[in-house]
Amino acid sequence: MGFLDLLWAYILVFVFAAVPFFEAYGVIALAIFAGLPAIPVVLIALIGNILTVLLLILFVNKIKEWRKKRKGDEVDKEPSKRARRAQSLWKKYGLPGLAFIGPLLVGSHLTAFMSISFGGTKKSTSVWMMASIIVWGLVFGVLTYFGIDFLGYGDRGFFNDMISND
């Protein structure tokens, strides 16, 4: 893989990790499966995911205003199944529980938005969400890396091996 190919791959890792619902932990697993080195992938994906979650938290009031203008009276309607699940987690486990369980169920961006909506401060939500994203990213990175290594795909890249004619 040439330098530009590697650079392009890392840019894609960053962008996909930054996009809501493409969580860092999922992007990390896919990139490692694809044969990219684990440590740079984990770092780049974590930075992409954390950056957009922090931006969402920083601008949450503007986002709420924009959403209210866009949806009008629909904002006050019955909450979605995801929102009800997140609120249940909030009531049962508080901010730390929602921050750690939410990204696996509804995504880190929606979890951060709901944490603020349910009463979490921007500072505490930022700290707990960053911790959660880092922990899950590391867990999935380590499990994926050692899982691939165990299967013998560590040096070749899982997807490359699947499509090669060897």
Side-chain angles (χ1 to χ4, degrees), residues 9 18-19 23 28 32 51 54-55 57 65 68-69 78 84 86 101 106 120 126 131 136 146 159 161 163:
V19 173
E23 297 302 313
I28 288 168
I32 294 172
L51 181 67
L54 292 178
L55 285 171
I57 291 169
E65 288 172 17
K68 190 165 185 115
K69 282 182 190 175
E78 182 69 26
R84 287 192 307 270
I101 298 170
V106 297
S126 298
W136 286 123
F146 285 111
F159 292 122
D161 192 54
I163 61 174

Side-chain angles (χ1 to χ4, degrees), residues 72-125:
D73 292 333
E74 286 183 36
V75 173
D76 297 328
K77 285 188 176 178
E78 182 69 26
S80 69
K81 183 178 178 181
R82 286 182 169 182
R84 287 192 307 270
R85 192 180 315 167
Q87 194 161 26
S88 171
L89 287 170
W90 177 267
K91 288 178 183 175
K92 194 170 187 177
Y93 302 110
L95 177 57
L98 181 59
F100 273 90
I101 298 170
L104 297 175
L105 300 176
V106 297
S108 57
H109 297 84
L110 188 55
T111 298
F113 185 79
M114 289 182 176
S115 294
I116 296 284
S117 298
F118 297 152
T121 65
K122 288 182 180 182
K123 183 178 180 179
S124 61
T125 300

Side-chain angles (χ1 to χ4, degrees), residues 29-36 148 151 153-164:
L30 287 175
I32 294 172
F33 274 134
L36 293 174
I148 289 174
L151 295 172
Y153 291 115
D155 295 328
R156 296 189 308 250
F158 180 70
F159 292 122
N160 292 337
D161 192 54
M162 285 179 57
I163 61 174
S164 73

